[in-house]
Amino acid sequence: MSIKFKVLLRKNPQDILAPEKFYAAAIADGETDLEKLAELISYQCTVTEADCYAVLMSLEHNIISELNQGRIVKLGRLGNFQVGLSSEGKETAEEVTSSVIKKNRILFRPGKKLRTLLSTLTYRKAS
């Protein structure tokens, strides 16, 4: 299988006056939710679909709980989740407080197999 992409005309956000250029943008080809993942997993093992779903829901709950406590969540070969921050720069360390934090996000660092996937993908232009 290959990843479909479309062509978009975009401005350069770093130079608004520069002429627009054409860029490739990936097109999602459907979705897979937790219920579907539970179904797929249940076909590959002896665990029922309902049990797989329960484990996935528990995984989500526990990842949220651990991230909320400031921990890195390591999911083995799948990868790691961690909270990241962006803040204003200040002249002294004393000026840096929680009020200068402007943005937070969840960082995901994929494991080796997921990183390898990126190097083996093929692409096709959507018609």
Side-chain angles (χ1 to χ4, degrees):
M1 295 288 297
S2 56
I3 306 297
K4 288 192 274 185
F5 70 92
K6 60 184 174 183
V7 179
L8 297 176
L9 184 62
R10 291 187 179 160
K11 291 183 184 251
N12 181 345
Q14 295 173 342
D15 185 2
I16 301 298
L17 300 176
E20 293 180 324
K21 291 185 179 181
F22 291 95
Y23 296 89
I27 301 173
D29 194 14
E31 295 179 344
T32 301
D33 58 14
L34 281 180
E35 289 87 2
K36 181 65 175 175
L37 283 175
E39 178 186 349
L40 293 169
I41 293 167
S42 72
Y43 291 141
Q44 298 169 350
C45 63
T46 59
V47 181
T48 68
E49 183 178 336
D51 288 341
C52 290
Y53 183 72
V55 169
L56 290 171
M57 293 300 295
S58 182
L59 177 65
E60 175 192 33
H61 170 81
N62 285 291
I63 287 172
I64 292 168
S65 176
E66 295 301 303
L67 290 175
N68 192 43
Q69 295 178 55
R71 294 189 177 108
I72 296 172
V73 178
K74 295 185 174 190
L75 294 179
R77 296 184 321 190
L78 186 60
N80 304 330
F81 290 92
Q82 181 177 359
V83 172
L85 303 174
S86 296
S87 70
E88 295 175 13
K90 295 295 181 181
E91 297 295 322
T92 65
E94 292 77 27
E95 292 178 278
V96 178
T97 64
S98 61
S99 65
V100 301
I101 296 171
K102 295 300 172 195
K103 193 162 107 176
N104 56 14
R105 60 198 170 283
I106 295 175
L107 305 172
F108 175 70
R109 294 181 187 88
K112 185 177 181 180
K113 284 187 176 184
L114 283 175
R115 286 191 315 268
T116 301
L117 163 75
L118 292 175
S119 66
T120 62
L121 290 175
T122 59
Y123 303 94
R124 64 184 161 90
K125 195 172 187 176
S127 42

